[in-house]
Amino acid sequence: MEKIIAGQALGIFATVLTFVSYQTNKKNTLLIIQSAATLCTCISFLLLGASTGFALNIVCLARNITFFFQKSRTRINYISAGVFAALMIALGALSWQGMISLLMIAALGINTVFISLGDPQLLRKSILLTSTMVIIYNIFVFSIGGIANEGISIVSSVIGIIRFRKTK
């Protein structure tokens, strides 16, 4: 029971970090804060027994750290995105929880592509799709923090889209 409470608490803390991350307009700041949120999410999924969420978020953490040090819109950046997407597919298969795992694999693969583009506004727009997919996974594994995290990610992304939109 203590593991479940700790897992839920870490998921809720990740929610707060995620909200903060989408309110920045700098790629590296966004990646630093999201990496901290992803670490909390990894541990949360581990404690809740959500193997696919745990495995794929480890890849997300490595991806965020890698993209932090890479320049945006470079060939190596796009190659890295392909490598991380392939790792997600492989780890998703190894940690298979049934068809629900496909939502996490697809969502985090799509998210990886948009992070590699280095445009925070495009990333925010992609979150509208990918977070919806991950909410369904979080409902399945009953991650209260995860459900809240993705819901707030959607709201935060919309706020960021509006706040940083280019005016004509």
Side-chain angles (χ1 to χ4, degrees):
M1 183 59 131
E2 291 171 356
K3 283 177 29 175
I4 292 172
I5 293 169
Q8 298 292 5
L10 278 170
I12 291 167
F13 183 64
T15 300
V16 173
L17 292 173
T18 300
F19 179 81
V20 171
S21 77
Y22 292 127
Q23 301 314 307
T24 182
N25 202 29
K26 294 188 184 328
K27 174 192 157 197
N28 283 350
T29 304
L30 187 140
L31 286 173
I32 289 168
I33 299 168
Q34 275 201 345
S35 293
T38 301
L39 179 61
C40 291
T41 301
C42 282
I43 298 168
S44 172
F45 279 141
L46 178 65
L47 294 172
L48 295 174
S51 58
T52 300
F54 170 71
L56 295 183
N57 274 282
I58 287 175
V59 177
C60 287
L61 185 58
R63 172 202 67 196
N64 290 355
I65 293 167
T66 300
F67 285 164
F68 177 85
F69 291 104
Q70 291 179 349
K71 287 186 173 183
S72 296
R73 297 180 184 103
T74 62
R75 180 181 227 163
I76 191 71
N77 199 254
Y78 301 131
I79 292 169
S80 295
V83 169
F84 285 119
L87 278 171
M88 286 179 191
I89 292 168
L91 285 178
L94 290 173
S95 62
W96 189 255
Q97 292 177 280
M99 294 301 283
I100 198 72
S101 294
L102 289 176
L103 286 173
M104 285 294 282
I105 294 166
L108 296 179
I110 292 166
N111 188 258
T112 297
V113 169
F114 280 95
I115 288 174
S116 74
L117 298 176
D119 182 340
Q121 199 67 333
L122 281 176
L123 177 60
R124 287 183 196 99
K125 290 175 183 176
S126 76
I127 294 296
L128 301 177
L129 168 66
T130 60
S131 285
T132 301
M133 296 165 74
V134 176
I135 281 176
I136 297 167
Y137 176 83
N138 282 312
I139 291 169
F140 180 80
V141 300
F142 193 64
S143 172
I144 295 167
I147 294 165
N149 189 13
E150 299 306 325
I152 290 178
S153 290
I154 291 170
V155 172
S156 296
S157 293
V158 169
I159 291 168
I161 289 166
I162 293 167
R163 191 170 158 212
F164 297 113
R165 73 183 177 278
K166 292 183 180 180
T167 55
K168 294 182 182 183

